[in-house]
Structures are given as structure tokens and as C-alpha cells.
């Protein structure tokens, strides 16, 4: 199965650092710095020297594979978002917009008002990216937030695109910040696409 990304603005081809990249290049530093094996003493203080007696998550397949599959979609430009939880007013801004990228909103009546009380999502902005995606017939893309990002201001919605039929990449940015405004800088990893 083949995944092909295209751009709506050819100027992006001159900035390769903004194009989708394999997830394997985005493993976080804390993960890379985690030891694979750890020698932990037994209760009597003895430390085995011929074998490791404790393995870290770096040897657990469920963790290892997360940082190996899919493609990371990044912000093509700076994006500024504002949401006031009391007045319910929102604003957003891109340095450039038009037919190749734009921001719209999903009114709270469309989604947020139905979430459980413990949800931290206050508002949803829809970012129409300058990217298109194509997959073979019968294949889709699963979009997930950046794994283990621990971002308290925003995260991207989990979803599935039927990319063999619809090719526009729209990303729902869930505003979760305690502040009224956030700035997502150009090149920031937004989400992962997994075929």
C-alpha cells in the first residue's frame, strides 16, 4: 500500500522541513534517553553481571512500534488561537490563508457541548492544511494526536480519513488551554497519520 502526500501551494516544496515526515524521526528525547536495560540489585544487594534483571519500556513492543509507524503532519505556518471560556468568544489567525490553508471552527453545539464533564476540550478549531493525501483503493488513514506529547494547551482529534476517496487533510485542533490564547509555531508536529 502506498501513501502519497501532495501540496496545494508549490512554495511548500521549497521548505522540506514542513513536509510530512516518517514518525521514526520524532521519537521524543525522554524516550531516546531511557535505558533499554537496568541492573537493579536484589533485596540482598546482589547485582547480576551476566544478565539484566529489569527491562524498561524501550523493550516493550507496544511502545517501540508507536515511534516507528506513520507520518507526522506539521504546522505549515504559525497559527494563533483565542478562546474565552466565559464569553464564548473565539478568534484565530494565520499569517497567510486562502485556498491552500485556512482555519474554521466547529461550534460547541456541534461537538463540545456533548462531551462528558471531565473533558478538557473547550473549543474546536478546524485547520484546513495545505496538504492532500492519496492512498490505494480500500485504504484509509487513521489520524492520532502526537503520542506522549503532554501538551496542556491543545491536542488534535483522533479520527479516520477515507483517503482513497477524500484527499483534503483537515485537522481538528482541540483548545484545552487555561490561557485565552495559544500560538502553534510553524513546523510544530500536529498529529500522526497511520495507514
Amino acid at each position: 500500500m502506498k501513501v502519497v502526500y501532495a501540496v496545494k501551494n508549490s512554495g511548500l516544496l521549497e521548505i522540506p522541513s514542513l513536509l510530512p515526515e516518517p514518525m521514526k524521526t520524532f521519537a521524543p528525547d525522554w524516550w531516546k534517553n531511557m535505558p533499554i536495560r537496568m541492573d537493579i540489585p536484589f533485596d540482598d544487594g546482589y547485582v547480576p553481571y551476566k544478565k539484566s534483571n529489569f527491562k524498561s519500556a524501550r523493550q516493550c513492543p507496544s511502545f517501540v512500534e508507536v515511534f516507528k509507524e506513520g507520518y507526522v503532519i506539521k504546522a505549515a505556518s504559525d497559527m494563533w488561537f483565542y478562546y474565552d471560556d466565559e464569553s464564548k468568544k473565539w478568534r484565530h489567525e494565520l499569517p497567510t490563508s486562502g485556498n491552500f490553508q485556512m482555519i474554521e471552527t466547529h461550534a460547541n453545539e456541534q461537538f463540545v457541548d456533548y462531551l462528558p464533564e471531565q473533558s478538557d476540550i473547550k473549543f474546536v478549531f478546524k485547520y484546513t492544511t495545505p496538504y492532500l493525501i492519496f492512498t490505494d483503493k480500500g485504504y484509509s488513514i487513521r489520524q492520532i494526536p502526537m503520542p506522549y506529547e503532554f501538551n496542556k494547551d491543545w491536542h488534535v482529534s483522533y479520527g479516520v480519513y477515507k483517503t482513497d476517496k477524500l484527499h483534503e487533510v483537515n485537522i481538528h485542533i482541540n483548545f484545552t488551554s487555561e490561557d485565552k490564547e495559544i500560538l502553534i509555531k510553524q513546523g510544530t508536529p500536529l498529529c500522526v497519520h497511520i495507514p
Side-chain angles (χ1 to χ4, degrees):
M1 199 277 298
K2 185 167 66 172
V3 177
V4 175
Y5 286 94
V7 294
K8 297 181 204 173
N9 181 330
S10 61
L12 279 170
L13 297 174
E14 297 174 25
I15 314 171
S17 63
L18 297 180
L19 300 176
E21 288 186 63
M23 176 61 181
K24 64 184 176 187
T25 62
F26 288 88
D29 288 339
W30 64 263
W31 171 260
K32 292 187 273 188
N33 295 332
M34 182 186 297
I36 293 173
R37 304 169 15 146
M38 293 182 241
D39 296 322
I40 298 182
F42 287 99
D43 290 343
D44 63 1
Y46 181 76
V47 177
Y49 63 92
K50 291 192 175 183
K51 74 169 194 81
S52 172
N53 64 340
F54 190 78
K55 298 175 184 177
S56 75
R58 292 265 321 259
Q59 288 189 1
C60 178
S62 66
F63 284 97
V64 173
E65 297 305 317
V66 165
F67 300 114
K68 288 184 177 178
E69 65 176 3
Y71 303 91
V72 173
I73 306 302
K74 296 172 268 182
S77 66
D78 288 355
M79 297 184 282
W80 176 80
F81 301 99
Y82 170 94
Y83 183 70
D84 183 334
D85 205 22
E86 289 179 25
S87 69
K88 307 298 183 202
K89 289 190 177 179
W90 51 265
R91 297 178 176 97
H92 53 77
E93 189 175 289
L94 291 167
T96 58
S97 59
N99 62 354
F100 74 95
Q101 77 169 350
M102 67 178 139
I103 295 174
E104 299 173 282
T105 63
H106 272 289
N108 283 358
E109 296 86 358
Q110 292 177 285
F111 179 60
V112 174
D113 289 351
Y114 300 95
L115 294 173
E117 241 179 71
Q118 63 269 31
S119 168
D120 61 350
I121 300 172
K122 298 175 182 181
F123 196 74
V124 178
F125 293 94
K126 180 177 131 183
Y127 173 44
T128 300
T129 74
Y131 308 110
L132 299 170
I133 185 169
F134 301 86
T135 52
D136 294 339
K137 186 176 180 179
Y139 286 91
S140 298
I141 289 289
R142 184 173 313 279
Q143 177 177 282
I144 65 169
M146 290 299 294
Y148 302 103
E149 195 63 20
F150 311 113
N151 182 334
K152 294 182 180 178
D153 292 328
W154 61 273
H155 64 273
V156 170
S157 290
Y158 187 99
V160 174
Y161 294 105
K162 294 191 178 287
T163 47
D164 58 342
K165 297 178 176 75
L166 302 170
H167 309 294
E168 192 169 71
V169 178
N170 296 321
I171 297 174
H172 296 103
I173 296 172
N174 299 315
F175 189 103
T176 58
S177 183
E178 292 299 318
D179 294 331
K180 291 183 182 177
E181 57 183 281
I182 60 174
L183 177 67
I184 299 175
K185 300 291 286 174
Q186 182 181 49
T188 298
L190 299 175
C191 61
V192 182
H193 283 175
I194 301 170

